[in-house]
Amino acid sequence: MCDSDHGRMKCDGDRCVALVGGIGQSVRCAVYEGRPNVCREFLPGTTACNQVRRYFGLHEIAAAHVALREGA
């Protein structure tokens, strides 16, 4: 969900309002096709991804691990 006044995702507290599900369990983007560029550039296993995972107390993941799991 894009905050058009600022060109970024719109958050409620510490998570995007378009993120549905439980963090650390199963989440998905409710506006995936219309997500802002910041979300399109945020890839699993990157430094930014792992910083967020640490913030929420989740283990870090490797980009190669994600690519293998997704069949890339």
Side-chain angles (χ1 to χ4, degrees):
M1 163 132 321
C2 186
D3 179 350
S4 59
D5 292 337
H6 299 100
R8 60 182 184 230
M9 71 178 155
K10 185 175 181 181
C11 293
D12 180 17
D14 59 4
R15 65 186 281 176
C16 176
V17 298
L19 188 64
V20 294
I23 294 175
Q25 298 168 6
S26 177
V27 294
R28 69 177 181 83
C29 175
V31 295
Y32 187 79
E33 292 300 320
R35 69 197 188 281
N37 286 338
V38 67
C39 296
R40 293 177 188 274
E41 296 168 1
F42 190 91
L43 300 173
T46 61
T47 300
C49 169
N50 283 319
Q51 287 175 334
V52 173
R53 293 181 66 82
R54 282 193 303 272
Y55 175 83
F56 283 102
L58 303 172
H59 69 279
E60 293 186 21
I61 57 174
H65 174 75
V66 173
L68 290 173
R69 190 180 73 224
E70 294 176 352

mmCIF file of all heavy atoms in Angstrom, residues 9 11-16 19 23-24 42 46-61:
data_model
loop_
_atom_site.group_PDB
_atom_site.id
_atom_site.type_symbol
_atom_site.label_atom_id
_atom_site.label_comp_id
_atom_site.label_asym_id
_atom_site.label_seq_id
_atom_site.Cartn_x
_atom_site.Cartn_y
_atom_site.Cartn_z
ATOM 1 N N MET A 9 5.640 2.799 1.659
ATOM 2 C CA MET A 9 4.567 1.973 2.191
ATOM 3 C C MET A 9 3.929 2.656 3.395
ATOM 4 O O MET A 9 4.557 3.448 4.087
ATOM 5 C CB MET A 9 5.079 0.588 2.553
ATOM 6 C CG MET A 9 5.954 0.502 3.739
ATOM 7 S SD MET A 9 6.389 -1.228 4.008
ATOM 8 C CE MET A 9 7.900 -1.007 4.888
ATOM 9 N N CYS A 11 2.417 2.410 7.032
ATOM 10 C CA CYS A 11 2.542 1.532 8.196
ATOM 11 C C CYS A 11 1.571 1.905 9.296
ATOM 12 O O CYS A 11 1.163 3.055 9.427
ATOM 13 C CB CYS A 11 3.961 1.596 8.743
ATOM 14 S SG CYS A 11 5.173 0.898 7.624
ATOM 15 N N ASP A 12 1.223 0.900 10.072
ATOM 16 C CA ASP A 12 0.457 1.077 11.292
ATOM 17 C C ASP A 12 1.318 0.453 12.384
ATOM 18 O O ASP A 12 1.432 -0.773 12.458
ATOM 19 C CB ASP A 12 -0.891 0.378 11.184
ATOM 20 C CG ASP A 12 -1.729 0.529 12.435
ATOM 21 O OD1 ASP A 12 -1.434 1.426 13.253
ATOM 22 O OD2 ASP A 12 -2.682 -0.257 12.607
ATOM 23 N N GLY A 13 1.978 1.271 13.157
ATOM 24 C CA GLY A 13 2.934 0.747 14.135
ATOM 25 C C GLY A 13 4.190 0.319 13.418
ATOM 26 O O GLY A 13 4.755 1.062 12.636
ATOM 27 N N ASP A 14 4.604 -0.937 13.628
ATOM 28 C CA ASP A 14 5.855 -1.408 13.038
ATOM 29 C C ASP A 14 5.661 -2.348 11.853
ATOM 30 O O ASP A 14 6.566 -3.076 11.483
ATOM 31 C CB ASP A 14 6.727 -2.078 14.107
ATOM 32 C CG ASP A 14 6.038 -3.267 14.760
ATOM 33 O OD1 ASP A 14 4.923 -3.621 14.353
ATOM 34 O OD2 ASP A 14 6.631 -3.831 15.694
ATOM 35 N N ARG A 15 4.488 -2.329 11.229
ATOM 36 C CA ARG A 15 4.282 -3.170 10.053
ATOM 37 C C ARG A 15 3.389 -2.496 9.028
ATOM 38 O O ARG A 15 2.586 -1.630 9.348
ATOM 39 C CB ARG A 15 3.747 -4.541 10.430
ATOM 40 C CG ARG A 15 2.360 -4.549 11.062
ATOM 41 C CD ARG A 15 1.950 -5.898 11.543
ATOM 42 N NE ARG A 15 1.489 -6.733 10.463
ATOM 43 C CZ ARG A 15 1.138 -7.997 10.593
ATOM 44 N NH1 ARG A 15 1.202 -8.575 11.752
ATOM 45 N NH2 ARG A 15 0.731 -8.689 9.560
ATOM 46 N N CYS A 16 3.542 -2.894 7.805
ATOM 47 C CA CYS A 16 2.762 -2.351 6.691
ATOM 48 C C CYS A 16 1.287 -2.726 6.863
ATOM 49 O O CYS A 16 0.967 -3.848 7.267
ATOM 50 C CB CYS A 16 3.300 -2.923 5.378
ATOM 51 S SG CYS A 16 2.342 -2.432 3.934
ATOM 52 N N LEU A 19 0.162 -5.926 5.022
ATOM 53 C CA LEU A 19 0.689 -7.227 5.417
ATOM 54 C C LEU A 19 -0.362 -7.947 6.253
ATOM 55 O O LEU A 19 -0.776 -7.462 7.300
ATOM 56 C CB LEU A 19 1.975 -7.049 6.218
ATOM 57 C CG LEU A 19 2.760 -8.311 6.549
ATOM 58 C CD1 LEU A 19 3.277 -8.961 5.269
ATOM 59 C CD2 LEU A 19 3.903 -7.981 7.482
ATOM 60 N N ILE A 23 3.374 -12.603 11.743
ATOM 61 C CA ILE A 23 4.814 -12.540 11.531
ATOM 62 C C ILE A 23 5.468 -13.742 12.206
ATOM 63 O O ILE A 23 5.171 -14.062 13.347
ATOM 64 C CB ILE A 23 5.388 -11.214 12.063
ATOM 65 C CG1 ILE A 23 4.842 -10.063 11.230
ATOM 66 C CG2 ILE A 23 6.914 -11.228 12.053
ATOM 67 C CD1 ILE A 23 5.236 -8.694 11.713
ATOM 68 N N GLY A 24 6.335 -14.413 11.474
ATOM 69 C CA GLY A 24 7.003 -15.616 11.980
ATOM 70 C C GLY A 24 6.209 -16.874 11.729
ATOM 71 O O GLY A 24 6.665 -17.971 12.027
ATOM 72 N N PHE A 42 12.700 -5.111 -1.919
ATOM 73 C CA PHE A 42 13.007 -5.784 -0.655
ATOM 74 C C PHE A 42 12.931 -7.285 -0.884
ATOM 75 O O PHE A 42 11.843 -7.847 -0.992
ATOM 76 C CB PHE A 42 11.994 -5.339 0.400
ATOM 77 C CG PHE A 42 12.346 -5.764 1.796
ATOM 78 C CD1 PHE A 42 13.105 -4.932 2.597
ATOM 79 C CD2 PHE A 42 11.914 -6.972 2.297
ATOM 80 C CE1 PHE A 42 13.427 -5.303 3.894
ATOM 81 C CE2 PHE A 42 12.233 -7.359 3.582
ATOM 82 C CZ PHE A 42 12.989 -6.519 4.390
ATOM 83 N N THR A 46 18.149 -10.753 1.969
ATOM 84 C CA THR A 46 19.061 -9.619 1.861
ATOM 85 C C THR A 46 19.384 -9.079 3.247
ATOM 86 O O THR A 46 18.750 -9.441 4.241
ATOM 87 C CB THR A 46 18.447 -8.489 1.017
ATOM 88 O OG1 THR A 46 17.242 -8.053 1.662
ATOM 89 C CG2 THR A 46 18.136 -8.951 -0.404
ATOM 90 N N THR A 47 20.365 -8.188 3.305
ATOM 91 C CA THR A 47 20.738 -7.571 4.577
ATOM 92 C C THR A 47 19.537 -6.881 5.204
ATOM 93 O O THR A 47 19.275 -7.036 6.407
ATOM 94 C CB THR A 47 21.881 -6.561 4.363
ATOM 95 O OG1 THR A 47 23.004 -7.251 3.823
ATOM 96 C CG2 THR A 47 22.271 -5.883 5.667
ATOM 97 N N ALA A 48 18.778 -6.129 4.409
ATOM 98 C CA ALA A 48 17.598 -5.424 4.931
ATOM 99 C C ALA A 48 16.568 -6.418 5.476
ATOM 100 O O ALA A 48 15.992 -6.207 6.540
ATOM 101 C CB ALA A 48 16.982 -4.550 3.845
ATOM 102 N N CYS A 49 16.351 -7.493 4.750
ATOM 103 C CA CYS A 49 15.405 -8.523 5.190
ATOM 104 C C CYS A 49 15.830 -9.084 6.540
ATOM 105 O O CYS A 49 15.025 -9.199 7.464
ATOM 106 C CB CYS A 49 15.339 -9.635 4.147
ATOM 107 S SG CYS A 49 14.452 -11.123 4.682
ATOM 108 N N ASN A 50 17.103 -9.430 6.671
ATOM 109 C CA ASN A 50 17.578 -10.029 7.910
ATOM 110 C C ASN A 50 17.599 -9.039 9.066
ATOM 111 O O ASN A 50 17.413 -9.438 10.220
ATOM 112 C CB ASN A 50 18.934 -10.697 7.693
ATOM 113 C CG ASN A 50 18.770 -12.029 6.983
ATOM 114 O OD1 ASN A 50 17.849 -12.787 7.284
ATOM 115 N ND2 ASN A 50 19.624 -12.309 6.022
ATOM 116 N N GLN A 51 17.751 -7.760 8.792
ATOM 117 C CA GLN A 51 17.646 -6.756 9.853
ATOM 118 C C GLN A 51 16.229 -6.750 10.424
ATOM 119 O O GLN A 51 16.038 -6.692 11.639
ATOM 120 C CB GLN A 51 18.009 -5.375 9.323
ATOM 121 C CG GLN A 51 19.478 -5.189 9.073
ATOM 122 C CD GLN A 51 19.787 -3.856 8.424
ATOM 123 O OE1 GLN A 51 18.963 -3.263 7.738
ATOM 124 N NE2 GLN A 51 20.999 -3.377 8.635
ATOM 125 N N VAL A 52 15.248 -6.808 9.552
ATOM 126 C CA VAL A 52 13.849 -6.832 9.998
ATOM 127 C C VAL A 52 13.563 -8.129 10.737
ATOM 128 O O VAL A 52 12.900 -8.132 11.775
ATOM 129 C CB VAL A 52 12.888 -6.636 8.810
ATOM 130 C CG1 VAL A 52 11.444 -6.836 9.237
ATOM 131 C CG2 VAL A 52 13.078 -5.267 8.192
ATOM 132 N N ARG A 53 14.075 -9.244 10.226
ATOM 133 C CA ARG A 53 13.864 -10.525 10.898
ATOM 134 C C ARG A 53 14.451 -10.503 12.307
ATOM 135 O O ARG A 53 13.817 -10.984 13.247
ATOM 136 C CB ARG A 53 14.446 -11.675 10.065
ATOM 137 C CG ARG A 53 13.688 -11.889 8.743
ATOM 138 C CD ARG A 53 14.270 -13.046 7.957
ATOM 139 N NE ARG A 53 14.072 -14.295 8.663
ATOM 140 C CZ ARG A 53 12.962 -15.024 8.647
ATOM 141 N NH1 ARG A 53 11.920 -14.624 7.954
ATOM 142 N NH2 ARG A 53 12.875 -16.152 9.323
ATOM 143 N N ARG A 54 15.641 -9.930 12.466
ATOM 144 C CA ARG A 54 16.248 -9.810 13.806
ATOM 145 C C ARG A 54 15.367 -8.961 14.716
ATOM 146 O O ARG A 54 15.174 -9.283 15.887
ATOM 147 C CB ARG A 54 17.657 -9.215 13.716
ATOM 148 C CG ARG A 54 18.715 -10.203 13.280
ATOM 149 C CD ARG A 54 20.126 -9.674 13.493
ATOM 150 N NE ARG A 54 20.373 -8.415 12.819
ATOM 151 C CZ ARG A 54 20.806 -8.290 11.564
ATOM 152 N NH1 ARG A 54 21.035 -9.362 10.838
ATOM 153 N NH2 ARG A 54 21.007 -7.099 11.039
ATOM 154 N N TYR A 55 14.838 -7.863 14.182
ATOM 155 C CA TYR A 55 13.973 -6.976 14.968
ATOM 156 C C TYR A 55 12.790 -7.745 15.551
ATOM 157 O O TYR A 55 12.381 -7.519 16.687
ATOM 158 C CB TYR A 55 13.489 -5.819 14.091
ATOM 159 C CG TYR A 55 12.496 -4.913 14.777
ATOM 160 C CD1 TYR A 55 12.935 -3.895 15.630
ATOM 161 C CD2 TYR A 55 11.126 -5.066 14.590
ATOM 162 C CE1 TYR A 55 12.029 -3.058 16.268
ATOM 163 C CE2 TYR A 55 10.220 -4.236 15.218
ATOM 164 C CZ TYR A 55 10.670 -3.241 16.057
ATOM 165 O OH TYR A 55 9.774 -2.417 16.699
ATOM 166 N N PHE A 56 12.223 -8.651 14.773
ATOM 167 C CA PHE A 56 11.066 -9.431 15.221
ATOM 168 C C PHE A 56 11.459 -10.734 15.919
ATOM 169 O O PHE A 56 10.609 -11.569 16.217
ATOM 170 C CB PHE A 56 10.130 -9.720 14.043
ATOM 171 C CG PHE A 56 9.297 -8.538 13.653
ATOM 172 C CD1 PHE A 56 9.627 -7.776 12.536
ATOM 173 C CD2 PHE A 56 8.206 -8.146 14.408
ATOM 174 C CE1 PHE A 56 8.867 -6.676 12.177
ATOM 175 C CE2 PHE A 56 7.447 -7.045 14.062
ATOM 176 C CZ PHE A 56 7.782 -6.307 12.947
ATOM 177 N N GLY A 57 12.772 -10.927 16.176
ATOM 178 C CA GLY A 57 13.225 -12.112 16.895
ATOM 179 C C GLY A 57 13.218 -13.382 16.068
ATOM 180 O O GLY A 57 13.156 -14.484 16.612
ATOM 181 N N LEU A 58 13.302 -13.247 14.748
ATOM 182 C CA LEU A 58 13.313 -14.406 13.854
ATOM 183 C C LEU A 58 14.738 -14.709 13.415
ATOM 184 O O LEU A 58 15.587 -13.822 13.375
ATOM 185 C CB LEU A 58 12.446 -14.129 12.621
ATOM 186 C CG LEU A 58 10.989 -13.752 12.908
ATOM 187 C CD1 LEU A 58 10.292 -13.303 11.638
ATOM 188 C CD2 LEU A 58 10.259 -14.917 13.545
ATOM 189 N N HIS A 59 14.999 -15.961 13.053
ATOM 190 C CA HIS A 59 16.341 -16.319 12.581
ATOM 191 C C HIS A 59 16.582 -15.722 11.194
ATOM 192 O O HIS A 59 15.644 -15.512 10.428
ATOM 193 C CB HIS A 59 16.509 -17.843 12.561
ATOM 194 C CG HIS A 59 15.687 -18.526 11.511
ATOM 195 N ND1 HIS A 59 14.356 -18.811 11.682
ATOM 196 C CD2 HIS A 59 16.002 -18.952 10.268
ATOM 197 C CE1 HIS A 59 13.885 -19.395 10.590
ATOM 198 N NE2 HIS A 59 14.850 -19.484 9.722
ATOM 199 N N GLU A 60 17.837 -15.477 10.901
ATOM 200 C CA GLU A 60 18.200 -14.937 9.586
ATOM 201 C C GLU A 60 18.115 -16.037 8.545
ATOM 202 O O GLU A 60 18.222 -17.218 8.861
ATOM 203 C CB GLU A 60 19.610 -14.357 9.622
ATOM 204 C CG GLU A 60 19.716 -13.128 10.494
ATOM 205 C CD GLU A 60 21.074 -12.460 10.409
ATOM 206 O OE1 GLU A 60 21.797 -12.672 9.425
ATOM 207 O OE2 GLU A 60 21.404 -11.717 11.349
ATOM 208 N N ILE A 61 17.901 -15.639 7.294
ATOM 209 C CA ILE A 61 17.870 -16.592 6.192
ATOM 210 C C ILE A 61 18.865 -16.149 5.130
ATOM 211 O O ILE A 61 19.166 -14.967 4.991
ATOM 212 C CB ILE A 61 16.452 -16.723 5.585
ATOM 213 C CG1 ILE A 61 15.926 -15.370 5.118
ATOM 214 C CG2 ILE A 61 15.497 -17.369 6.567
ATOM 215 C CD1 ILE A 61 14.608 -15.441 4.378
#
